[in-house]
Amino acid sequence: MNLILLGPPGCGKGTQAKILIDTYHIPQISTGDILREAIKKESPLGIEAKTHMDQGSLVPDHLVIKIIEERLKQTDCNRGFILDGFPRTVAQAEALDTTLSEMGSKLEYVFSIEVDDEELIRRLTGRRVCRKCGESYHIEFNPPRQDGLCDSCQGELYQRDDDKEETIRNRLKVYQDQTSPLISFYQRKDVLHSIDGIGSIEEIKKRLLNIINT
Ligand code: ADP
Ligand code: ADP
Ligand code: ZN
């Protein structure tokens, strides 16, 4: 099975991806996580990506497309994958179609998770992320059992640089301008499912699983 989690920053893509991994045993591929890893290592990709990410703008298409092409060829994707945060532009979506058809595969589900801007800002300003495994927490809506520590791996929780209010506003605008056109792109391909993203993490999970199971 393969699927895309599409939606604005903070809608819950990463949170739901982690739940789907446990249910379906297929990998989560998050371009954001891969880019943050590259920044940590100070690789050429990381150095280039950082300038865009710090402003809340998108990293150039050719860089993220290359990341995905390489990642999808790895053997753990043979049984499927969850794309979280990719594609984010029509050019990326078209490149993905090409890569998948070369692999003899095609997309099964695209879930568009819908959340209003006010709620997104509340979720992003309170988000804390595990440095080790990338799991997302929220200081109010989804707190860790122990303050500042990841439940799954005991890693340290931190606030992402781009989760500050000024950068968040730009990211929401970038989503509207560059990523939301993908909703009609995938509607035309008949793979889009819109999900109401307001509700508890458990409720959103049930909405996703309901569609997959029918
Ligand atoms: P969020 O989960 O809050 O939407 P991500 O971790 O997915 O954030 O992305 C963080 C940043 O990484 C983005 O603002 C962008 O700069 C960069 N990025 C991640 N994925 C992509 C992509 N597919 N195309 C371009 N830039 C990306
Ligand atoms: P994305 O990957 O789409 O940027 P995340 O999964 O990181 O979003 O979630 C953003 C923030 O919102 C995190 O702090 C997360 O704990 C919290 N969150 C996720 N789902 C929900 C939900 N259904 N209700 C309230 N908060 C949520
Ligand atoms: Zn962790």
Side-chain angles (χ1 to χ4, degrees):
M1 182 180 68
N2 65 58
L3 58 95
I4 293 178
L5 296 174
L6 179 68
C11 72
K13 301 181 294 297
T15 302
Q16 295 299 328
K18 294 275 192 266
I19 295 175
L20 293 170
I21 297 180
D22 293 339
T23 314
Y24 294 106
H25 310 287
I26 50 177
Q28 168 195 18
I29 305 177
S30 158
T31 38
D33 286 351
I34 295 169
L35 293 168
R36 278 184 290 278
E37 219 24 67
I39 291 177
K40 209 156 77 184
K41 288 191 192 130
E42 299 182 10
S43 69
L45 169 68
I47 292 163
E48 160 89 38
K50 188 172 171 10
T51 60
H52 304 281
M53 290 169 77
D54 281 350
Q55 292 169 20
S57 322
L58 295 183
V59 173
D61 284 337
H62 70 276
L63 294 175
V64 279
I65 289 170
K66 185 155 169 266
I67 292 175
I68 289 294
E69 283 171 354
E70 284 170 7
R71 184 64 186 85
L72 288 177
K73 282 185 198 139
Q74 289 173 26
T75 52
D76 64 335
C77 295
N78 286 348
R79 291 177 44 244
F81 50 83
I82 301 164
L83 286 174
D84 158 14
F86 180 97
R88 264 176 151 95
T89 63
V90 172
Q92 292 179 19
E94 284 169 344
L96 176 64
D97 275 351
T98 308
T99 304
L100 290 179
S101 65
E102 282 166 9
M103 293 166 63
S105 170
K106 69 182 185 45
L107 278 172
E108 285 177 72
Y109 302 96
V110 178
F111 294 106
S112 166
I113 307 177
E114 295 173 354
V115 174
D116 60 273
D117 281 6
E118 244 179 89
E119 173 68 9
L120 292 173
I121 291 168
R122 278 194 291 272
R123 289 188 187 180
L124 291 169
T125 48
R127 170 158 70 183
R128 298 293 182 272
V129 181
C130 175
R131 261 192 215 289
K132 256 167 67 188
C133 75
E135 185 127 356
S136 277
Y137 295 86
H138 191 283
I139 48 176
E140 205 183 321
F141 308 144
N142 182 28
R145 283 193 291 270
Q146 265 179 293
D147 216 24
L149 290 182
C150 175
D151 292 351
S152 313
C153 78
Q154 299 291 298
E156 179 208 358
L157 303 186
Y158 78 108
Q159 181 172 32
R160 278 169 43 180
D161 283 341
D162 59 348
D163 279 347
K164 309 279 155 67
E165 193 150 347
E166 325 81 79
T167 321
I168 290 173
R169 299 249 173 226
N170 191 39
R171 287 160 62 205
L172 295 179
K173 185 168 184 312
V174 166
Y175 175 79
Q176 271 317 319
D177 294 348
Q178 302 190 55
T179 308
S180 69
L182 293 180
I183 296 175
S184 52
F185 178 93
Y186 285 121
Q187 236 156 12
R188 287 196 294 275
K189 294 187 182 287
D190 224 21
V191 286
L192 188 90
H193 301 268
S194 294
I195 302 282
D196 177 5
I198 301 288
S200 68
I201 292 171
E202 189 60 29
E203 281 165 341
I204 315 300
K205 165 193 159 180
K206 284 191 187 141
R207 288 173 200 158
L208 293 170
L209 295 186
N210 260 333
I211 293 174
I212 296 172
N213 293 328
T214 49

